[in-house]
């Protein structure tokens, strides 16, 4: 039987949230989340193509359940600065620790280091984590349709609006796309990776791009390793790309990001 990575991660996340909520009550996080703070426009940055015709959300990522360590010694600050110099539209920071080796202050350090919008990428399953996301200073949060009931997805989207977070709602199938649309999602992340097996197929984004509704914006996620793939997705009508592993593994992330954007030199 193939390993179901998502189920294992969610089980771990449920225990983590239970422990965290005992240490820091949800009411305290809510108060912090609702405080006025500087917000950087995430949705707006992705609503139209950038100067090179595409937007890249460049990711801070040290490991994954399927690949193990990718770049365990990655310096989040320096990596984010290199992404910004190369023309990234936003930065995605993985904050999941058990499976992705995130460090506790990665997101805060990245947001201090750059002027770009910052996405918290984690496995969000409760309102507690949405308050936590806003309190830690993120501008946007990832919500994974497959990890949430229909009611919880809608509730969390409403909560994101309340606390001033943009939401990237991740789908992997036609059924999940319909659920995201029904819940009112505007920013749709089409994950080419199956979160049960962690296998990737770029055709997922190309297939689901045709289901994007008026008022929605698509982001292709996972499995993007070269400019040719970016061009194939651009031809399918997608101009936003969330790219992590290939950037983190690149000998020179700044040069590679420019290549992905079609900028030479």
């Amino acid at each position: 039987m193939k390993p179901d990575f998502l189920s294992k991660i969610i089980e771990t996340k449920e225990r983590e949230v239970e422990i965290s909520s005992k240490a820091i009550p949800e009411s305290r996080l809510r108060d912090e989340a609702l405080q006025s703070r500087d917000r950087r426009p995430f949705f707006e940055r992705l609503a139209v193509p950038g100067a090179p015709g595409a937007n890249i959300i460049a990711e801070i990522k040290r490991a994954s359940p399927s690949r193990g360590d990718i770049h365990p010694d990655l310096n989040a600050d320096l990596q984010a600065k290199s992404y910004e110099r190369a023309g990234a539209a936003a930065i995605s920071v993985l904050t999941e620790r058990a499976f992705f080796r995130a460090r506790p202050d990665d997101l805060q350090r990245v947001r201090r280091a750059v002027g770009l919008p910052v996405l918290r990428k984690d496995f969000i399953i409760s309102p507690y984590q949405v308050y936590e996301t806003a309190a830690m200073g993120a501008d946007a949060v990832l919500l994974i349709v497959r990890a949430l009931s229909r009611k919880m997805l809608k509730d969390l989207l409403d909560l994101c609006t309340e606390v001033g977070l943009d939401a990237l709602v991740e789908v992997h199938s036609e059924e999940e796309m319909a659920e995201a649309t029904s819940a009112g999602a505007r920013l749709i992340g089409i994950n080419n990776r199956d979160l049960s097996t962690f296998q990737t197929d770029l055709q997922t984004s190309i297939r689901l791009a045709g289901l994007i509704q008026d008022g929605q914006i698509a982001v292709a996620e996972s499995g993007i390793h070269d400019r040719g793939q970016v061009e194939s997705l651009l031809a399918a009508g997608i101009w936003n790309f969330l790219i992590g592993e290939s950037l983190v593994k690149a000998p020179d992330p700044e040069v590679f990001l420019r290549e992905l954007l079609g900028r030479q030199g």
Side-chain angles (χ1 to χ4, degrees):
M1 182 179 292
K2 293 181 179 180
D4 188 337
F5 288 112
L6 182 61
S7 295
K8 293 179 180 178
I9 293 170
I10 295 301
E11 287 175 9
T12 301
K13 192 59 59 177
E14 288 172 345
R15 291 194 296 270
E16 288 179 359
V17 170
E18 183 179 358
I19 293 169
S20 295
S21 61
K22 290 177 180 177
I24 304 175
E26 184 172 306
S27 59
R28 175 178 155 190
L29 275 182
R30 183 179 185 276
D31 289 342
E32 292 182 21
L34 291 173
Q35 289 178 6
S36 178
R37 66 182 192 279
D38 170 44
R39 291 186 174 91
R40 301 171 186 169
F42 185 76
F43 179 87
E44 289 83 352
R45 285 295 298 267
L46 305 182
V48 295
N55 298 312
I56 289 180
I57 307 167
E59 191 158 87
I60 304 296
K61 179 178 184 178
R62 293 191 181 87
S64 80
S66 60
R67 301 293 180 91
D69 286 343
I70 299 170
H71 193 333
D73 300 322
L74 180 145
N75 182 305
D77 312 46
L78 296 180
Q79 191 85 359
K81 287 178 180 177
S82 73
Y83 291 159
E84 185 173 41
R85 287 193 300 268
I91 307 291
S92 168
V93 182
L94 266 156
T95 59
E96 202 289 320
R97 302 181 198 178
F99 296 89
F100 291 86
R101 307 288 190 267
R103 295 175 187 169
D105 62 346
D106 277 343
L107 190 142
Q108 292 91 335
R109 289 177 59 188
V110 166
R111 202 171 189 281
R112 287 194 299 267
V114 301
L116 299 174
V118 177
L119 168 75
R120 181 192 184 188
K121 190 175 179 186
D122 208 317
F123 295 82
I124 305 298
I125 56 173
S126 72
Y128 184 91
Q129 293 165 288
V130 173
Y131 291 130
E132 181 182 57
T133 301
M136 68 172 56
D139 304 292
V141 65
L142 180 75
L143 300 178
I144 303 171
V145 170
R146 189 167 182 177
L148 300 165
S149 69
R150 291 186 180 184
K151 182 179 185 306
M152 182 59 77
L153 175 61
K154 179 66 167 64
D155 288 348
L156 294 185
L157 277 171
D158 290 344
L159 185 56
C160 285
T161 299
E162 180 184 341
V163 300
L165 289 171
D166 287 324
L168 176 61
V169 180
E170 182 176 292
V171 304
H172 182 68
S173 68
E174 287 81 356
E175 294 77 16
E176 290 175 7
M177 176 74 85
E179 287 188 33
T181 299
S182 177
R186 297 192 304 159
L187 196 55
I188 305 292
I190 305 175
N191 197 349
N192 298 306
R193 179 170 290 121
D194 184 324
L195 291 179
S196 291
T197 64
F198 269 59
Q199 297 299 306
T200 58
D201 181 1
L202 212 66
Q203 289 301 312
T204 303
S205 282
I206 294 172
R207 186 178 78 249
L208 296 184
L211 300 178
I212 293 293
Q213 304 292 306
D214 289 343
Q216 291 180 327
I217 302 297
V219 179
E221 304 174 9
S222 304
I224 301 167
H225 302 288
D226 58 52
R227 175 63 186 176
Q229 292 173 317
V230 169
E231 290 175 350
S232 295
L233 291 163
L234 284 168
I238 300 175
W239 61 79
N240 297 305
F241 310 93
L242 196 158
I243 303 176
E245 185 174 328
S246 59
L247 278 170
V248 170
K249 291 171 65 176
D252 189 327
E254 189 171 339
V255 169
F256 183 53
L257 180 49
R258 290 181 183 278
E259 291 174 357
L260 290 170
L261 286 169
R263 290 171 164 166
Q264 303 300 320

